[in-house]
Amino acid sequence: DHLEQAFDQGDVKEIRRELAALEKAHPSDSRLQVARARLTAAQGDPEGALGMLQRLVDDGDAGVLARAYLGALTVAKRQYAEGRRIVEQALAEGADVPAARHALGVAMAAAGADVVVNHPTAAEVDAAEQVAQAVRAVGRRALVVCADVSDASAVEAMVAEALATFG
């Protein structure tokens, strides 16, 4: 969809244009509120985005994607336990793994982090590259790595590559 492409490319002007069109067509759709929060985070205000998403959840208007983004922003604020719980709840309620992974990567980048995007199998490289592209669109660096996190030597290699890349 055009809005997702605009987010992936970091095209704020196109994001705003798509949001205006969505608002005319579906003014009370919670997806519109999630998209506004994503834009707020991408523009460097993760705290504002977090507040917007929390209000959606508190009002009972949030779908699973809003919960995934809320969890991701919570993780980005280093409240890992609460953020992980929210993301896991969103996944349990039907948010797919790529959507949650994308939310987490973008939120962490919006909070100022460079991001390592791990994919455990070669079949997932395209999804990982999409997350990395979205992270870069926010203005942060991203490294895509294929590592089985159940293998200690693979994790050590991933960490070494991250340190070599990001310092």
Side-chain angles (χ1 to χ4, degrees):
D1 107 308
H2 294 289
L3 183 59
E4 281 304 316
Q5 288 175 344
F7 272 113
D8 288 345
Q9 295 168 356
D11 186 345
V12 173
K13 188 175 181 179
E14 184 62 23
I15 292 168
R16 287 189 175 136
R17 188 178 3 262
E18 289 294 323
L19 284 174
L22 264 175
E23 191 167 50
K24 285 181 183 177
H26 309 283
S28 61
D29 191 333
S30 65
R31 290 176 299 170
L32 177 64
Q33 301 304 321
V34 173
R36 282 190 184 132
R38 288 178 65 191
L39 176 59
T40 300
Q43 292 178 315
D45 184 10
E47 291 289 330
L50 185 61
M52 294 167 75
L53 291 168
Q54 187 63 58
R55 281 189 295 280
L56 276 174
V57 171
D58 290 346
D59 293 343
D61 294 334
V64 293
L65 191 56
R67 288 191 190 95
Y69 275 95
L70 177 63
L73 282 167
T74 304
V75 169
K77 286 184 59 190
R78 291 183 170 62
Q79 296 173 357
Y80 297 109
E82 178 64 9
R84 183 178 177 129
R85 183 194 65 73
I86 294 169
V87 170
E88 287 173 353
Q89 178 183 353
L91 290 169
E93 292 175 3
D96 62 352
V97 172
R101 183 182 298 156
H102 189 274
L104 180 60
V106 171
M108 292 183 79
D114 293 322
V115 179
V116 176
V117 183
N118 180 51
H119 58 98
T121 66
E124 297 180 82
V125 69
D126 289 340
E129 286 292 347
Q130 287 177 345
V131 174
Q133 181 181 4
V135 166
R136 292 181 190 113
V138 175
R140 301 305 305 175
R141 297 180 296 171
L143 171 66
V144 176
V145 179
C146 181
D148 176 358
V149 295
S150 67
D151 177 355
S153 63
V155 172
E156 289 173 7
M158 178 175 57
V159 171
E161 187 174 354
L163 288 172
T165 302
F166 300 137

